[in-house]
Amino acid sequence: MRNDDLKKIETEVNKIKMIDTHEHLQKEKNRIRSKADPFKLFMSQYLSSDLISSGMSYEELQKLNDEKISLSNRWDIFSLFWNNVQNTAYAKSVLIAIKDLYGIEKLDKRTIAELARKMEEMNKQGLYRWILKEKAGIEIALHDTILKPRGYDFWNAMPISKIIEVDRSLFVPVHRFQDFIFVTERTDLDFLSKRLNVSIHSLNDLLNAFKMEFEKISSKLYAVKIWIAYRRNIFFDKVTYSEAEKAFNEIFRQQSFKRMDVEGMRLTFPESISFEIAKPLQDYMVHELIRLSIRYKLPLQIHTGIHEGNENMVSNSNPLYLTNLFVEYKEAQFDIFHAGYPFLDETAALVKNFPNVYVDLCWLHIISPSIAKRVIYEWLDLIPSNKIMGFGGDYLFVEGSYGHSVIARQNITSVLQKKIEERSMKFEEANKIAKKILRENALNLFFKEKPVHQS
Ligand SMILES: [Zn+2]
C-alpha cells in the first residue's frame, strides 16, 4: 500500500502546473534573433561562476563567450575545468536540459557541435512555450525585469512601459525601481527627469517622481523586487526626512568631476557621492518603496543570502537584517528569496514567527538539491505550509529553467515520499502540500488581486 503511495505522490507532483515565482529570461524575440550558441547561453550565469570558482580565469571565460572562436577550440578551454564542476547542481541542471530537450546524453568535444545544431533547429518562435509550458509544466512565471545598466545614455531613456513588457501568456512582470533608490549623482537625476518628464531638484521632487512612476505601472505589476543585497548591506535604518534630504542635497554640492567618452564625445559629469553619505537617502527610499507596495497591494520579493557571480559579500545579505521592516510594516508581504541560504535557520525562524513573511525556494534547488531536500523536510515540521513558495527557476536562459524545474520536482517528491515512508504524513496530506508549495501558495500571494492570464 505504502509503495503505491510513493509512486502516486511522484505522479501527482509531476502533474502540477507550477507557478514559477522568479525568472530573468531574455525576451524570446531577442533569444531567437541571435544564433543559439551553447557556450554563450549556458555561461551567462551559475555554471560560469562554478568554473571561475574552480580556477578558470576571466580571460578564459571571455573566450568561451566569443562566437568567433570555433566550438571545438572553446571546448578545449572548457574541458580543462569541466571535470571539476560537473558534480555541481549548476552543471546537472544544464545536463538534464540538454538530454531531455535536445537528446544529448553526454557533453564532449563531439556532442557540443551536435548540441549547437539541435539548439539552432529549435531556436524559433514558440521556443519558450514549448520549454516552459509543455516540457517544464509551468503555468506562469513572475518575471524580474532587469533594468539594464544605463551607462550615460540618459538621452535615450526607454519608457517604463517598455521595460516591464512581457509575453503575458507565459509571464507577469515584477519591477525593482532601483533607479529611484540608487541615486548618487546628478546624471541619475537627469535620467529620471528625462524618463518621467519632470524636473528633480529636491528630495520632495524625487519622491513625487517615484510615486508617479509607481502609480503609473502598479496595476501591471505582480510584485516588487528588492535586489539591493548585491550592492550593500540590507539593514535599512529608520531615518528622518531631513537626514535623507541632507544626503540628497550632497549630490548637488559635489565639486569634483569626471571626464568620460560617450559615443565619441568628451563629456564632463559630477562625481558620485560616497556610500556613507548616500546611505540615509537609500534607506529612506526603501522604506518609501515598502509603503508604496502596501498602498498598491504588491508583495515584496527580497534577495537574501548567496549572490550569483563570484567574490560577493555574503555577510551583507543575512535576512535577520530585515527584521525591523517585518516589525514595522505589518500590512506588507515579504517573500524571502533563495531561502536565505546560507542563513537557512535564521530564515526559518523569521518565517515561523512573522505572519507577513514567506519563504521562497527560488534558485535553491540548483544551489544544492540535498540542501533543498533537507530544508523542505525540516520546514514541513516547522513552518505553516501556506508560507513556502516551492519553485522559482531564476535563469537567464530558458533551458536552465527547465533543468531546474526537473530537479525541484524530484526534490519535493523525494521529501514527501520520505514523510510518507516514515508515516509522519499520509498520501492525501502529502499531495495537498505538494499542490500548495508548487502552485497554490504563489497564487494566493501574487495573484489574489489580478488574473493569472490576461484575456
Ligand atoms: Zn534572480
Side-chain angles (χ1 to χ4, degrees):
M1 182 57 198
R2 253 185 311 140
N3 275 344
D4 278 2
D5 287 346
L6 300 187
K7 190 73 219 147
K8 248 166 59 191
I9 196 71
E10 185 182 11
T11 313
E12 289 302 315
V13 168
N14 288 337
K15 274 202 306 214
I16 298 171
K17 294 277 168 235
M18 295 196 290
I19 307 295
D20 175 345
T21 58
H22 183 54
E23 291 291 356
H24 300 281
L25 301 172
Q26 62 174 151
K27 288 200 168 77
E28 186 188 78
K29 64 172 189 233
N30 296 338
R31 156 77 192 248
I32 62 179
R33 196 179 291 148
S34 28
K35 224 167 156 258
D37 183 275
F39 281 116
K40 207 167 174 192
L41 285 166
F42 300 159
M43 293 307 134
S44 56
Q45 64 185 146
Y46 300 149
L47 186 53
S48 50
S49 306
D50 277 350
L51 286 166
I52 294 287
S53 168
S54 79
M56 181 182 270
S57 69
Y58 286 101
E59 289 76 13
E60 284 162 324
L61 180 59
Q62 221 168 17
K63 282 187 184 154
L64 293 186
N65 285 322
D66 185 349
E67 287 166 281
K68 290 197 283 297
I69 303 174
S70 73
L71 278 176
S72 114
N73 285 349
R74 282 186 282 162
W75 177 266
D76 290 339
I77 301 169
F78 180 72
S79 62
L80 297 172
F81 303 91
W82 178 228
N83 273 341
N84 292 330
V85 300
Q86 55 182 288
N87 57 297
T88 75
Y90 287 168
K92 306 266 190 222
S93 173
V94 170
L95 289 171
I96 289 169
I98 63 171
K99 178 168 176 283
D100 290 3
L101 302 171
Y102 303 117
I104 303 293
E105 299 274 344
K106 189 174 175 284
L107 208 49
D108 58 32
K109 193 166 186 157
R110 189 183 57 81
T111 59
I112 189 82
E114 200 183 329
L115 173 64
R117 239 186 347 268
K118 294 207 164 145
M119 285 173 70
E120 195 48 39
E121 254 171 59
M122 298 308 288
N123 200 38
K124 52 187 186 224
Q125 202 189 341
L127 176 76
Y128 281 16
R129 167 165 285 274
W130 170 56
I131 294 182
L132 295 174
K133 285 230 166 174
E134 293 169 31
K135 301 298 285 186
I138 292 168
E139 175 158 350
I140 200 127
L142 279 84
H143 194 273
D144 182 0
T145 56
I146 299 174
L147 193 59
K148 287 264 171 337
R150 62 176 174 78
Y152 285 88
D153 197 11
F154 54 82
W155 43 81
N156 281 321
M158 190 193 265
I160 190 70
S161 53
K162 265 258 163 307
I163 292 167
I164 62 160
E165 194 181 73
V166 291
D167 172 356
R168 278 294 271 109
S169 68
L170 298 168
F171 305 103
V172 293
V174 172
H175 187 56
R176 300 179 179 187
F177 298 98
Q178 207 138 278
D179 40 356
F180 290 94
I181 295 166
F182 289 104
V183 173
T184 57
E185 59 184 61
R186 263 180 261 179
T187 47
D188 295 331
L189 297 167
D190 291 342
F191 179 74
L192 287 172
S193 298
K194 175 95 185 173
R195 195 170 74 214
L196 286 131
N197 200 21
V198 291
S199 57
I200 303 175
H201 292 282
S202 65
L203 177 57
N204 203 34
D205 291 343
L206 178 65
L207 288 167
N208 283 336
F210 189 16
K211 281 176 202 150
M212 194 205 255
E213 182 147 291
F214 206 106
E215 186 169 359
K216 191 170 166 194
I217 61 170
S218 66
S219 67
K220 295 201 171 66
L221 298 180
Y222 284 71
V224 168
K225 171 89 182 280
I226 295 183
W227 176 87
I228 296 167
Y230 275 86
R231 298 190 50 181
R232 49 158 285 190
N233 178 290
I234 55 172
F235 174 62
F236 304 110
D237 207 353
K238 185 81 177 166
V239 298
T240 62
Y241 182 91
S242 67
E243 286 169 301
E245 190 179 33
K246 193 163 171 263
F248 179 93
N249 289 346
E250 285 302 320
I251 295 170
F252 285 96
R253 296 171 113 178
Q254 191 55 261
Q255 291 295 314
S256 67
F257 297 83
K258 50 189 168 187
R259 294 274 284 160
M260 295 188 74
D261 253 336
V262 181
E263 292 167 19
M265 291 174 281
R266 294 278 283 157
L267 301 179
T268 303
F269 299 102
E271 294 267 18
S272 297
I273 55 171
S274 68
F275 171 61
E276 286 67 29
I277 293 173
K279 187 177 181 295
L281 177 60
Q282 293 175 4
D283 290 352
Y284 192 88
M285 294 306 280
V286 169
H287 281 255
E288 183 62 19
L289 178 68
I290 297 169
R291 290 190 284 262
L292 287 167
S293 306
I294 294 169
R295 188 186 311 160
Y296 293 100
K297 297 194 166 66
L298 290 168
L300 291 139
Q301 298 190 316
I302 307 187
H303 180 100
T304 69
I306 189 175
H307 308 83
E308 158 57 358
N310 302 84
E311 299 174 57
N312 289 295
M313 191 73 92
V314 74
S315 55
N316 269 346
S317 54
N318 188 328
L320 289 179
Y321 286 128
L322 301 168
T323 313
N324 62 322
L325 303 180
F326 305 155
V327 172
E328 177 169 354
Y329 297 107
K330 291 192 194 311
E331 319 90 304
Q333 289 170 308
F334 299 96
D335 186 31
I336 303 306
F337 265 20
H338 319 311
Y341 173 78
F343 310 105
L344 295 160
D345 289 341
E346 289 86 341
T347 307
L350 291 165
V351 181
K352 186 174 180 65
N353 237 274
F354 285 93
N356 52 351
V357 181
Y358 299 78
V359 66
D360 200 311
L361 304 185
C362 59
W363 190 13
L364 189 71
H365 297 280
I366 52 156
I367 291 171
S368 161
S370 37
I371 288 172
K373 280 188 276 194
R374 193 192 85 211
V375 297
I376 299 166
Y377 179 82
E378 289 178 7
W379 291 358
L380 286 175
D381 300 334
L382 184 70
I383 298 172
S385 62
N386 64 318
K387 301 185 77 185
I388 303 171
M389 310 294 138
F391 173 69
D394 207 356
Y395 264 102
L396 295 166
F397 58 93
V398 67
E399 288 86 353
S401 307
Y402 171 79
H404 192 173
S405 79
V406 172
I407 295 173
R409 286 188 204 265
Q410 283 169 356
N411 289 346
I412 288 165
T413 300
S414 136
V415 169
L416 294 172
Q417 285 177 331
K418 199 169 166 197
K419 298 266 181 197
I420 294 172
E421 258 187 320
E422 63 187 29
R423 296 176 193 268
S424 64
M425 257 182 213
K426 293 211 167 88
F427 166 78
E428 289 71 24
E429 188 187 1
N431 190 23
K432 264 188 205 150
I433 283 180
K435 290 194 168 76
K436 283 171 94 168
I437 66 178
L438 286 177
R439 181 180 166 83
E440 290 160 9
N441 294 345
L443 284 177
N444 285 333
L445 185 58
F446 302 108
F447 295 86
K448 236 184 187 143
E449 312 279 334
K450 289 177 183 141
V452 176
H453 297 287
Q454 221 165 33
S455 50

